[in-house]
Amino acid sequence: MWAVLGSGDVAIAGTAERLSLVRLYDGASDLGEVRADGGGAFLWPAAPPLPDGEHALAAMSIDAAGNSSPVSATVAVIVDRTPPASPVIDSPAAGSVVQERRPSVQGRADAGCRVRVYDTGRLLLETAAQPGGDFAAGSPTELVDGEHSLTATCTDGTGRVSAPSLPVVFRLLAVAPSSPIVGARGRIS
């Protein structure tokens, strides 16, 4: 079983013989020890935090007579503190003129992350990036004519949020201009 953690703040908890000394391991590395309480429960807050990467955590206990238990089964975790990459907004294109009041926003982000698109700092829509990283969603609200500046963020499964994307500025012009007025000068016969 693997667990992906957004920080190295891993607390290792379990049960052992009551009041025994519990030695904790990350693979072959000795992490330290903690004493089980009167009910046999132990809790070791990883200090210092585990570094980024894969870890195979296990424990063994030593009773008051010095007898050691076999090493427990391992629990595998991945510590990954790296935030997701900033999304890229592909559409609407920067500098474009859009006529649809509920424009579709399309782009790329880390696969599976939650993409939030903002219009001038205000949340416009949320969607999920597909397994290939693509995302697309239509605006749930109508936008007003004028300039709009879209940015996006990506939130991964551990709650880490990317830096905002580069802004994409476009102009919404949904109202067609008025027809010109044609007149004649001079005499009409």
Side-chain angles (χ1 to χ4, degrees):
M1 174 179 167
W2 287 97
V4 179
L5 307 172
S7 75
D9 301 333
V10 177
I12 302 171
T15 57
E17 184 176 322
R18 62 184 214 84
L19 303 176
S20 65
L21 186 65
V22 179
R23 183 156 297 284
L24 302 151
Y25 298 95
D26 180 5
S29 300
D30 188 345
L31 294 175
E33 56 190 35
V34 65
R35 179 128 346 245
D37 66 20
F42 67 88
L43 175 66
W44 183 78
L50 295 173
D52 280 11
E54 295 180 6
H55 300 274
L57 306 176
M60 67 174 259
S61 64
I62 304 166
D63 66 15
N67 300 310
S68 298
S69 73
V71 175
S72 70
T74 60
V75 174
V77 296
I78 299 172
V79 176
D80 180 6
R81 292 178 188 84
T82 307
S86 297
V88 174
I89 298 173
D90 296 322
S91 176
S96 65
V97 176
V98 175
Q99 293 182 325
E100 175 59 47
R101 287 203 180 275
R102 294 179 187 230
S104 177
V105 179
Q106 299 173 4
R108 295 167 276 125
D110 283 4
C113 78
R114 191 88 184 123
V115 178
R116 288 181 174 90
V117 177
Y118 299 86
D119 180 11
T120 317
R122 185 176 39 86
L123 182 62
L124 178 64
L125 62 91
E126 287 186 51
T127 189
Q130 299 303 309
D134 294 334
F135 69 86
S139 172
T141 59
E142 289 191 354
L143 302 180
V144 297
D145 282 1
E147 189 174 275
H148 295 270
S149 178
L150 300 182
T151 57
T153 61
C154 175
T155 304
D156 68 14
T158 62
R160 292 169 302 175
V161 181
S162 72
S165 67
L166 294 174
V168 171
V169 179
F170 69 96
R171 185 163 195 69
L172 177 67
L173 186 60
V175 177
S178 302
S179 297
I181 299 174
V182 177
R185 290 192 153 189
R187 241 175 173 191
I188 301 180
S189 349

